[in-house]
Amino acid sequence: MFLQYLARRAIGGFLVVLLATFVVFVFIRVAGDPAALIVGGTGENITINPERVAQVRQQLGLDKPLILQFVDFLAGLITGGLGNSFVTGRPIADELRVRLPLTIEIALLSEFTAWIFALPLGLFSALRRGRFTEALTRIFFFVASAVPAYWLGLLVLIFVLLAFGWRPPLGLVPPTQNLWVHLQQIALPILVLGFVLAAGLVRFIRNAVLEVLQEPFVQVARAKGLAESTVVMRHVLRNAFAPTLAFSGLRVGYLLGGVVIVETTFNLPGLGLFFVEAVARRDFPVIQIAVLILGTAFVIINLLTDIACSLIDPRLRERG
Amino acid sequence: MRTWTRRRFLSTTAGALASALLVACRGGQPEPTPAPTTAPAAPSPTTPPVSLPTPVMEVTPTPTTEAVRRGGILHFNLPGDPTNLDLHQATTSTDLWCIGPCFDTLLQFDPHDQTKILPDLAIRWDVSADGMTYTFYLRQGVQFHDGSPFTSKDVQVNFQRIMNPPEGVNSPRGVFFNTVSQIETPDDFTVRFLLSQPDPALLYNVAIPWTGIYPAHLIESGADLRDTKNIIGTGPFKFKSYTPGVAFELERNPNYFDKDLPYLDGIVGHPMTDWNAVAQAFLAGQLHLYRSLTTPPLDLFQGKADIQVVGVPTTLVWRLILNARNFEPFKDERVRQAITLALDREAMIQAMTEGRSVLSGWMHPYGAWALPEERVRQARGFGKDKEADRQQAKQLLAEAGFPNGLEFELLAFNLDVTTPSLIADQLAQVGIKANVQILQLGEYVQRIVAREYQVALGFNAPWVDEPKSTFGAWITSDENVSMTGLWSDELIQLYQQIERELDVEKRKQMTHELDFRTLDEISFGMIYVYRPVIWHVFRPGILANWTPQPNYNLTEKHATTWLRS
């Protein structure tokens, strides 16, 4: 039954990714011609020979019917190549080798940091509901959730620079080469993004905990004479955890958006910048792979979240 | 050339993309020179201008009396990752900053003065009396990075590739050599360019760094020169490594023909798309030099005496392109003149360049061909009395049958969103309503190529400050090339004379005439708006023997640059 459910979700997810890829595939072709950009350079020199543009279109296969181009793209994927960038001619796989692990690292560690911030604070503000300390926590996190990541990142960078004359070392050193330098490079972006992500999470945890605190079984647990800490840890937290995890899964898009922004602010060579540049340059193959990767990530993370939730809360498994 | 504005825009786009996805898924020492082994030949009577008036710039010259310190790695920002690493195909400064130092050209621009041409792979040259034959005498004993020797055949094969690129290769500067009918190699160290008509611009065009020389065997093998393993030239630096988004690294070429050079051990370009990150990295001492087209955060550098911030007017000029094919009123010269009268260029210089740019003609104000300022002032719309200009603009519009003004669409791209709004504001003061439409670069270029615009804001971007490069692309009556559908036969004739004129002084006078009349008459539908500045930020106490220039595409070899610490 559970396996059936999983299979159903996996097929659904696959179709969603395929559909998203197709939709983006069509839309990017409506808005802007990469051939013109390739022939025309950066827009500084726009006296372009239309014949050359037509020639480049043909070389890139852009003169074929849309559906045929899409089939070509899928066939390329199946035969194992991610293809080459229209603009640089470099294999996309080469670019991903550095960028993909970095983005995954930042995304995971930021989310982890967000939980570290949010879990105790959320719990604290729920348990101290109505008190002055709770109000303080709430005000703090209302403000935090209104602060955009790029602005906070900028502020932190300028503060650290002016106060200590320090800035994370330029570029990116792989952790295998020098872990210390690597940590210096990723620590600030992770803290910043983690903090911004935590703002929403705190509120959610607080509400989830409050909701659970109203449940009869909490009263029963208290009535049994269990210590308050046991009630909170074993009964409240566990039951508040599942919806929070599901919420977190739904926020993957938001997380990825945040990663793009801190990568830009902190000048880290992740997928975000690469994909944003690709959009500006109308680099179709890169955009398509971007949608494919981000879409797949979204679907997989949601699937994993569902599985995790059902492990935590067996009732979900039965309903599923 | 990317700006914070655009970055901001891109970041927003990224956010939007992520959200869309969410919805879709589920929702010194004596001045070091390139040291020619032989002095250049004495200019023949017909030698075109290779040394003309010295530019006047507010730049502190680097003292060159101290001993050169060797070694060190030069770090600077790249506005993004390089897009095309084939020098002949490349079009962006980023590409050139990455690979330029790996290549030599026949001649080169003086790294301290872009109006001067120095020897490079050719140690001397001569020009026949009729201006139809250019002979270059090549340096001997030069080696490519792969160990193969440099000969005249390499020059021949490279220029043939630039002029007639093979299928799949896009050569944007091929048109520069449209007067070259044949390239001969009488011996291993002599190359002769035979022309179909006199072309004094040729010496400039063989000096631009984009015409760097690859080994002939590499080109003949049909190798993809965009591949990093094929970055093989004779230049002072060799390719070392490239990690996209992280760094583009070059190392010293120990076999450079000038055994004394380069001074640096290497060069590292850091792709950085966020201007704040660039400024901070510079302040933290991680970059020796940073350059941008947008104003740096000047307040961050205030009170720091060791830092020099220099804004140099560029060779680029913002211009309005009036497309008479799509907007009938532009066929009336009074309407075109009203628009140029309405623009307040000095206000734009103040607002957009902190007053660092200057009023000029199409040719660079500090260059050899500059139209003198008093002459520029005489052009329609360039005078000091803006109120009188506006009155005249309104009157011209009324005479042309638009007493209540007119309305059109102004197409711009997201590099700079302030300039188009300033233009729209100024036009509004004479009753012209310009509806600004800001597009992503890709979409913008597509509309430009298809000529689907009424008015477009774009750059006039000469590769080098030389009349052919500045006017060649748009002084035309060719319907396929013209971006406006407007021209003047008289001025085209004048331009054709400039193209061929061998007498330097005459050529200069004719260029002034063309420059002035195109500013004043708007017969080609091109309206000069203003010249942005390139900002250079560096520590003169550290970066030595390097001079900020108005066109950062011309002097990027860094053979003679050195670091004090």
Side-chain angles (χ1 to χ4, degrees), chain B residues 386-403:
Chain B
K386 263 342 275 183
E387 210 28 64
D389 281 352
R390 288 193 191 109
Q391 286 307 326
Q392 202 191 340
K394 284 181 192 161
Q395 198 185 333
L396 281 171
L397 284 176
E399 283 170 19
F402 304 98

Side-chain angles (χ1 to χ4, degrees), chain A residues 9 16 20 31-33 36-39 41-48 52-53 55 59 87-90 95 98-99 150 154 157-158 161 167-172 250 253-254 257 260 264-265 267 269 273 276-277 279-282 291 294-295 298 302, chain B residues 1-2 6-8 10-11 14 17-18 21-22 24-26 81-83 85 91-92 167-170 226 242-246 270-274 276-277 280-281 283-284 286-287 321 440-446 448-449 451 459 461 463 473 481 483:
Chain A
R9 289 293 310 271
V16 163
D33 184 355
L37 264 180
I38 289 166
V39 176
T42 52
E44 295 155 15
N45 178 38
I46 38 180
T47 314
I48 297 161
R52 280 287 311 153
V53 176
Q55 220 177 328
Q59 280 161 20
V87 179
T88 63
R90 281 194 294 272
E95 299 268 1
V98 179
R99 298 175 187 269
Y150 79 87
L154 202 61
L157 277 173
I158 291 178
L161 180 67
R167 200 191 172 276
L170 279 184
L172 183 76
L250 281 174
Y254 184 64
V260 171
T264 313
T265 310
N267 203 56
L273 265 183
V276 171
E277 284 282 301
V279 174
R281 292 169 175 172
R282 293 290 176 274
V291 174
L294 297 179
F298 192 87
N302 273 289
Chain B
M1 280 160 285
R2 305 285 176 260
R6 178 171 167 255
R7 291 300 133 198
R8 287 278 295 274
L10 291 180
S11 309
L17 184 75
L21 198 71
L22 191 124
C25 294
R26 186 165 167 179
D81 276 295
T83 47
L85 295 174
T91 53
T92 70
E167 212 186 302
V169 172
N170 175 40
R226 295 178 302 177
Y242 170 44
T243 316
V246 179
H270 300 271
M272 302 178 81
T273 49
D274 185 295
N276 289 291
Q280 290 156 11
L283 274 175
Q286 293 169 338
L287 300 175
I321 306 161
Q440 273 268 349
L441 185 62
E443 217 177 331
Y444 170 86
V445 174
Q446 192 178 24
I448 296 289
V449 173
R451 306 291 187 247
F459 279 128
W463 299 100
V481 178
M483 301 172 77

